[in-house]
Amino acid sequence: MKTLVIVAHPDLNASRINRAWIEALRDRPDTDVHSIYDAYPDWKIDVRREQRLLERYDRIIFQYPLYWYSTPPLLKKWFDEVLERGWAFGPGGDKLTGKQIGISFSTVGTADTYLRGGKNLFTIREVAAPMEALARYVHADYLPPFAVHDAMHMTDERLEESKAAYLEHLARAMPSEPAAAG
Ligand SMILES: Cc1cc2nc3c(=O)[nH]c(=O)nc-3n(C[C@H](O)[C@H](O)[C@H](O)COP(=O)(O)O)c2cc1C
């Protein structure tokens, strides 16, 4: 299965986790990385180029640091522009139908803060609900999110573990049922 990992990190030079994950992905067969902040420093997204790129892959993973429970802003712009009616949805908009879509993100919050009733109120699956809704709207199969927490205390050992866990996730993740309502 050919996988495209779309990375959205505003400053990969200052990143620890997302940069390490990109390194880990280099060893994965059939996997390419596309860093949109590097591709579009002026934020002028080449929509046709992005669409043609996506069409070549069976699985698309969006990888980013969690920013205010959401994606960094260039990725939001990318969604707004690339996922066009007639391409991603609506009449003739079937180009992502049947592909797999997944997300991988890092957080500064610890795992226990991403629980119902925890400091961040919601679970990771709930925080990522807009991404799940997006994937299902374009008729893609949604993979369970992969998240690594506690970025402030990321020792070299934990970083290595997170790289291995990420590769394991990509090797094994299967599409999930829609999140239960309520
Ligand atoms: C603008 C901004 C918003 C952030 N929002 C969140 C957040 O909502 N939840 C959280 O756990 N961490 C948040 N963080 C922390 C980042 O997710 C964290 O620094 C990042 O995942 C570390 O990954 P990196 O080493 O690849 O940069 C935020 C950081 C910034 C700069």
Side-chain angles (χ1 to χ4, degrees), residues 124-169:
I124 284 301
R125 179 98 186 241
E126 289 168 338
V127 167
M131 294 298 302
E132 176 167 0
L134 179 158
R136 298 197 191 282
Y137 196 80
V138 300
H139 303 292
D141 295 324
Y142 183 66
L143 300 173
F146 175 81
V148 162
H149 305 290
D150 202 6
M152 295 287 272
H153 303 103
M154 185 53 70
T155 60
D156 290 347
E157 191 184 356
R158 282 192 63 224
L159 195 59
E160 287 306 309
E161 282 169 12
S162 84
K163 285 160 69 173
Y166 188 21
L167 294 179
E168 179 78 6
H169 170 81

Side-chain angles (χ1 to χ4, degrees), residues 9 15-18 65-69 106-109 114 151:
H9 195 298
S15 154
R16 237 173 131 231
I17 301 173
N18 283 269
L66 192 69
Y67 274 15
W68 286 115
Y69 308 101
S106 51
T107 79
V108 85
Y114 284 101

